[in-house]
Structures are given as structure tokens and as C-alpha cells.
């Protein structure tokens, strides 16, 4: 696709001129503008009211220094970020990523995606994202604690239960959320739901840990059912071995699939008998180890260095759940050549744009990230509701709500694509449905 609308071409040129170093952000904005072209043509009032101008400019980009001291007494200085993308439909909401690759570009593109994703959930949450180039890997618990305390000592100025509510993402799980929460409470004296993904003993929600992976499978099952298929009896490849990947594997297996491969950033495992998920949990969740340790327990399985080889394993359904751009055009071609008919994204933007276009041209069912992985943030919003009413819901209640939300997202995305003449293109449908709600709210609230 290429932009054809003169106003949007001009707008995109200005976004490029204003954000020259933010490559991934520009790719994301362009792809969204391409999808919403028919919406913009149908709603000239949005253009006149400056809604698009406002939409492509993040409300606030906060960038700060994060000093901390390691166990040996050495001083380190990392850079922290919080991008408050869009608050038209609710307080900023989105994860924090701790990974050496994190730059301003990373958090800007993720915040932009998050605004649309959060809109799709149907819940009152705006979009935000944050993080740091700190690498938690190989650090002691005390080092991670000192980093998190330092990070929050700056971040607390900008967040709050009704202002901006961060959560986990790559490198941020229960341990990090606990340290961040403790420091927020200490500085502000407030016991409030300022973070989600909290431990169950201090305001966390049941099923939040599982929510992104489970939600991905609920969305995908609905998409498969509409095409007369299901997970049952299918061979599945899941990339990653973190929070999203583990619970995507668990739910796909419960729905009758066989997951044969997983990976981390060093390499992938292939177990044609089906991955032993309890073993992966033990390695990743308990020991914080590497995926190659799997073959110490299962010598009949294979381990290969490098990640991209995982996409050459024959499968029916692929669930990329590691990171952005992990699924190249070449990998998409390998998947299709081996008979894969469904790709559904657990990670944020794991498939490169040319890859998405290729998959769609081959009739592959494609579940775009902002729709398919929205279950995590949706359950975060449910955690916020529980915190507000000072109650906790049962696992069954939360899981049923999560499932309902994911099924709804599928149908909204499907019908938006159809309404705008792009039937079956769920990527376009997700961008359109997500944008419409945000645009309506922005239009109603005026030039602010
Ligand atoms: P985790 O940190 O729990 O796990 C990330 C996994 O991906 C690890 O196995 C990691 O391997 C691997 N990985 C990370 N970076 C790379 C890389 N550059 N190359 C290869 N593998 C990599 O994170 P999550 O599971 O929470 O997040 C995974 C994806 O899902 C991200 O895109 C995130 O934005 C997205 N997401 C997460 C949600 C959540 O609720 N947590 C919600 C919606 C989306 P290693 O250990 O070697 O680094
Ligand atoms: O990308 C995402 O949606 C997340 N990392 C979850 C964000 C959240 O606020 O739960």
C-alpha cells in the first residue's frame, strides 16, 4: 500500500521531518495512516479539526537519567523514558521495557501502537509506553532493585492511578513491578493502583500473568473458527520464551494444539513431541536460565543457535511472541512454503511490513499485534477496576471477561475491515476500529 491522499502525504512528510531519527516510529505511523485513508476521506471534519495533526504528535516525551550502583560499588547511568502518547479516552496506559536496545524511537513506536490497541479493548485507557536501556539479564536482585528504585524516583512525578499507569513488557515482570511499586508508595505515601501486573498480595489481578498469551489464543481461535478451523490438532511454533510466549503455549495446548518450538535471543528448541512447558517454566520463570538448558532435560529435542531458523520449522500456525521485526519477509516465505496458514502476533510489530503484505497476498490469516495481543493491557484495565473498587475478582470472572473482550475485538476488527472495503484485512481493520474511537473522542474534546 502507498499513501494516495494529498493531505496524508503532506502530514507524513511533516512527521518525517519532525522525527528524523525514529525509524520504527515512522514505519508505524505510515502503516497506520495508509490503513485509515478511507476513514479520513469519509470524515473531513477530522482533518478540519486537526485531529490527525494531534494524533501523530505524542502528548509528552519524558527522558531522564537513571543512576545506580552495582554490587561491586561501580556507578552506572542508564537512560529512562516515558512516552505519554494519547489521553483522549483514558489515562495513559502501557508497559515499561528494560532491554539494551531501548531508545526513544522504541518507546515512541510502542506508545503509538498502544493508543490504538487500548482503544480496541473497549476500556477507558489511553496510550503510553516507557522503559530504559538497562539490561536486567545477569544482574542480581539487589542490582535490579536499586535500578528500579532509581527509575521510579524520577518516574513518580509523572504517573498516578488516574494519570498514567505503567505495567510490564520485555524485561519487566513481577519482580520489577514489585520494586517499582514499593518505591512509588514510599515516595508518595499513596497506596493506589499506579502500576498493573502487581503481585496478588498487594493489589494484582488473577490471570494478569497469563492474560497476553491466553488472550492471543482466544483472539486467534475466534479468527480460526470464522474460517472453519481451530487450534485442535494443529502444529504451532511460538517464538520467545518469556511471559507472552509461555502462556500462549499453555492456552494453545489447552485448545488442542501441539507447540513444537520456542526460542530466546540465543537460539531455539525444536521438540517434535510437543514442548514440555513445565520444563520451560522451570528454566525461564524459576531459574532465569537459557532455553538451551531444555535439551539437558530432553536430549531427544534439538537446540539450534540463532533465532530466525525457528520459522523454517513446518507448522500450521505461527505465534511470534518475542520482539519487533523478528519475522522477516524471508521467514514469512519459509512459513508459507511449509504450509503455515495462520500468523497471529503476540509481540508488538514482530512481522516486518513487507512480510505482512506477503502473508496477506498468500491468503494467510493474519492477526495483527494491536488486536491479537490486547489481552494483557485489557486485563491490566480490569486490575485498575478492581483496585478502584477495592475488591478482587475470581480467576473465572477475569478469564471470562478477557475472553469476551478478545472475541469482541476480533468481530470489531473484522467488521471495520469489511465496512471500509478491505474484507479479511484485519491489520487495516484494527487500525481503523482503533482510530475511530480515539478520533471521535479527540474531535469531541477540541484542539487540546
Ligand atoms: P519477556 O521479557 O518476558 O520475554 C521476551 C522474550 O523474547 C524472551 O524469551 C527474550 O529472550 C525474547 N527476546 C527479547 N528480545 C529479543 C530479541 N531482540 N531477539 C530475540 N528474542 C528476543 O517479555 P514479554 O513476553 O512480556 O514480551 C514479549 C513481546 O510481547 C514484546 O514484543 C512485548 O512488547 C509484547 N507484549 C507483552 C505484553 C505483556 O503483557 N507482557 C502485552 C502485549 C505485548 P531473552 O531472554 O534471550 O532476551
Ligand atoms: O504491549 C503491551 O500491551 C503491554 N506490554 C502491556 C501493557 C499494560 O499496561 O498492561
Amino acid at each position: 500500500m502507498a499513501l494516495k491522499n494529498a493531505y496524508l502525504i503532506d502530514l507524513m512528510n511533516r512527521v518525517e521531518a519532525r522525527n528524523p531519527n525514529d525509524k520504527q516510529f515512522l514505519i508505524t505511523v505510515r502503516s497506520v495512516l495508509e490503513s485509515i485513508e478511507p476513514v479520513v476521506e469519509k470524515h473531513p471534519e477530522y482533518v478540519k479539526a486537526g485531529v490527525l495533526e494531534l494524533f501523530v504528535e505524542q502528548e509528552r516525551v519524558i527522558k531522564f537519567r537513571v543512576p545506580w550502583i552495582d554490587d561491586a560499588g561501580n556507578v552506572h547511568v542508564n537512560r529512562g523514558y516515558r512516552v505519554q502518547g494519547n489521553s483522549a479516552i483514558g489515562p495513559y496506559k502501557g508497559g515499561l521495557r528494560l532491554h539494551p536496545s531501548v531508545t526513544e524511537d522504541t518507546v515512541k513506536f510502542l506508545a503509538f501502537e498502544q493508543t490504538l490497541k487500548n482503544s480496541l479493548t473497549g476500556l477507558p485507557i489511553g496510550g503510553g509506553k516507557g522503559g530504559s536501556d538497562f539490561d536486567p539479564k545477569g544482574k542480581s536482585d539487589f542490582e535490579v532493585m536499586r535500578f528500579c528504585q532509581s527509575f521510579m524516583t524520577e518516574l513518580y512525578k509523572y504517573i498516578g492511578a488516574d494519570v498514567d499507569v505503567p505495567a510490564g513488557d520485555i524485561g519487566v515482570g513481577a519482580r520489577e513491578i514489585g520494586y517499582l511499586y514499593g518505591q512509588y508508595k514510599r515516595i508518595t505515601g499513596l497506596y493506589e493502583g499506579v502500576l498493573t501486573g502487581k503481585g496478588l498480595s498487594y493489589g494484582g489481578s488473577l490471570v494478569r500473568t497469563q492474560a497476553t498469551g491466553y488472550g492471543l489464543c482466544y483472539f486467534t481461535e475466534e479468527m480460526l473458527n470464522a474460517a472453519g478451523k481451530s487450534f485442535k490438532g494443529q502444529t504451532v511454533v511460538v517464538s520467545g520464551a518469556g511471559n507472552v510466549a509461555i502462556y500462549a503455549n499453555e492456552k494453545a495446548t489447552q485448545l488442542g494444539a501441539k507447540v513444537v518450538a520456542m526460542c530466546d535471543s540465543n537460539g531455539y528448541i525444536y521438540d517434535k513431541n510437543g514442548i514440555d512447558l513445565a520444563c520451560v517454566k522451570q528454566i525461564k520463570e524459576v531459574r532465569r536460565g537459557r532455553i538451551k538448558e531444555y535439551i539437558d532435560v530432553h536430549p531427544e529435542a534439538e537446540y539450534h543457535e540463532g533465532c530466525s531458523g525457528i520459522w523454517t520449522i513446518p507448522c500450521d500456525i505461527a505465534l511470534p511472541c518475542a520482539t519487533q521485526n523478528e519475522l522477516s519477509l524471508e521467514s514469512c516465505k519459509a512459513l508459507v512454503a511449509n504450509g503455515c496458514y495462520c500468523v497471529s502476533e503476540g509481540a508488538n510489530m514482530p512481522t516486518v511490513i513487507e512480510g505482512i503484505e506477503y502473508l496477506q497476498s498468500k491468503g494467510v490469516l493474519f492477526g495483527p499485534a494491536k488486536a491479537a495481543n490486547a489481552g494483557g493491557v485489557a486485563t491490566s484495565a480490569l486490575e485498575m477496576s478492581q483496585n478502584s473498587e477495592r475488591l478482587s475478582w475470581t480467576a473465572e470472572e477475569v478469564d471470562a471477561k478477557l475472553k469476551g473482550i478478545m472475541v469482541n475485538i476480533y468481530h470489531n476488527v473484522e467488521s471495520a475491515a469489511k465496512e471500509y472495503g478491505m474484507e479479511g484485512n484485519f491489520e487495516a481493520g484494527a487500525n481503523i476500529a482503533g482510530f475511530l474511537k480515539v478520533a471521535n473522542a479527540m474531535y469531541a474534546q477540541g484542539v487540546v
Side-chain angles (χ1 to χ4, degrees), residues 81-84 91-97 114 128-131 151-152 155-156 158-169 172 177 180-181 184 192-198 208 377 380-381 383-384 387:
Y81 304 93
R82 185 71 184 168
V83 173
Q84 298 182 327
Y92 311 104
K93 181 85 198 85
L96 296 172
R97 178 176 293 190
Q114 196 82 43
K129 200 83 187 189
F151 186 85
M152 184 54 84
L155 185 69
Y156 90 93
Y158 309 102
I159 63 176
D162 293 310
V163 179
D164 182 355
V165 183
D169 193 78
V172 177
I177 292 292
L180 290 163
Y181 189 75
Y184 179 86
E192 61 172 14
V194 66
L195 295 168
T196 58
K198 299 185 291 298
R208 175 62 188 89
V377 76
S380 279
E383 182 172 328
M384 291 165 72
N387 293 163

Side-chain angles (χ1 to χ4, degrees), residues 23 41 46 100 115 163 168 208 228 233 242 262 267 279 307 313 324 389:
K23 192 165 162 248
E41 278 164 8
Y46 290 162
T115 295
V163 179
R208 175 62 188 89
M262 293 181 84
C279 175
C307 307
I313 297 170
Q324 64 269 18
E389 62 177 10

Side-chain angles (χ1 to χ4, degrees), residues 95 97-99 101 109-110 114 117 129 135-137 167-173 208-213 239-246 263-267 284 289-291 307 320-324 326 345-350 369 372-377 380:
R97 178 176 293 190
L98 297 183
H99 193 274
S101 65
F109 107 74
L110 288 165
Q114 196 82 43
K117 181 195 308 194
K129 200 83 187 189
D135 187 0
K137 238 179 260 153
D169 193 78
I170 292 177
V172 177
R208 175 62 188 89
T209 304
Q210 296 83 355
T212 310
S239 65
N243 174 264
V244 180
I246 285 174
C263 68
D264 60 21
S265 57
N266 293 114
K284 286 289 174 185
R290 308 306 301 162
I291 200 73
C307 307
C321 296
T323 194
Q324 64 269 18
E326 56 169 313
E345 299 184 318
N348 284 308
M349 293 205 76
N373 76 25
V377 76
S380 279

Side-chain angles (χ1 to χ4, degrees), residues 62-358:
I62 302 154
K63 192 154 106 175
F64 51 93
R65 177 170 87 184
V66 190
W68 59 280
I69 298 172
D70 69 21
D71 290 343
N74 302 306
V75 174
H76 298 267
V77 179
N78 284 98
R79 185 168 280 181
Y81 304 93
R82 185 71 184 168
V83 173
Q84 298 182 327
N86 190 299
S87 62
I89 63 174
Y92 311 104
K93 181 85 198 85
L96 296 172
R97 178 176 293 190
L98 297 183
H99 193 274
S101 65
V102 168
T103 63
E104 189 168 323
D105 180 26
T106 319
V107 275
K108 268 167 81 172
F109 107 74
L110 288 165
F112 189 74
E113 284 285 285
Q114 196 82 43
T115 295
L116 296 167
K117 181 195 308 194
N118 293 1
S119 165
L120 287 173
T121 65
L123 301 167
I125 40 178
K129 200 83 187 189
S132 172
D133 57 3
F134 173 79
D135 187 0
K137 238 179 260 153
K139 305 289 190 303
S140 71
D141 287 352
F142 276 125
E143 288 173 331
V144 171
M145 186 192 294
R146 285 194 290 273
F147 172 84
C148 288
Q149 290 175 340
S150 180
F151 186 85
M152 184 54 84
T153 301
E154 186 64 26
L155 185 69
Y156 90 93
K157 298 168 187 168
Y158 309 102
I159 63 176
D162 293 310
V163 179
D164 182 355
V165 183
D169 193 78
I170 292 177
V172 177
R175 174 182 63 171
E176 292 74 18
I177 292 292
Y179 297 152
L180 290 163
Y181 189 75
Q183 183 72 354
Y184 179 86
K185 182 164 62 66
R186 184 178 188 203
I187 296 174
T188 63
L190 294 171
Y191 205 106
E192 61 172 14
V194 66
L195 295 168
T196 58
K198 299 185 291 298
L200 297 178
S201 56
Y202 62 96
S205 173
L206 286 160
V207 190
R208 175 62 188 89
T209 304
Q210 296 83 355
T212 310
Y214 279 21
L216 169 66
C217 292
Y218 293 146
F219 177 93
T220 307
E221 182 74 349
E222 194 67 13
M223 179 169 75
L224 289 167
N225 288 171
K229 299 177 189 303
S230 81
F231 269 111
K232 206 166 175 36
Q234 303 302 285
T235 299
V236 177
V237 165
V238 175
S239 65
N243 174 264
V244 180
I246 285 174
Y247 293 97
N249 181 330
E250 186 164 287
K251 186 51 75 178
T253 307
Q254 285 171 11
L255 292 170
K258 180 162 81 170
V259 178
V260 294
M262 293 181 84
C263 68
D264 60 21
S265 57
N266 293 114
Y268 68 93
I269 50 167
Y270 174 44
D271 188 338
K272 61 180 183 333
N273 302 319
I275 300 273
D276 169 2
L277 191 60
C279 175
V280 173
K281 284 185 181 177
Q282 181 67 25
I283 295 167
K284 286 289 174 185
E285 295 186 334
V286 180
R287 297 209 305 272
R288 296 181 190 277
R290 308 306 301 162
I291 200 73
K292 71 167 173 238
E293 294 163 34
Y294 185 87
I295 53 166
D296 299 340
V297 183
H298 289 283
E300 73 286 3
E302 298 171 21
Y303 173 74
H304 299 272
E305 286 288 335
C307 307
S308 60
I310 197 169
W311 307 117
T312 64
I313 297 170
C315 66
D316 303 303
I317 298 166
L319 303 176
C321 296
T323 194
Q324 64 269 18
N325 301 326
E326 56 169 313
L327 197 43
S328 64
L329 174 59
E330 197 181 57
S331 297
C332 290
K333 287 184 175 169
L335 281 172
V336 173
N338 285 327
C340 171
Y341 65 81
C342 171
V343 175
S344 202
E345 299 184 318
N348 284 308
M349 293 205 76
T351 316
V352 300
I353 301 287
E354 310 77 59
I356 298 175
E357 286 169 359
Y358 177 79

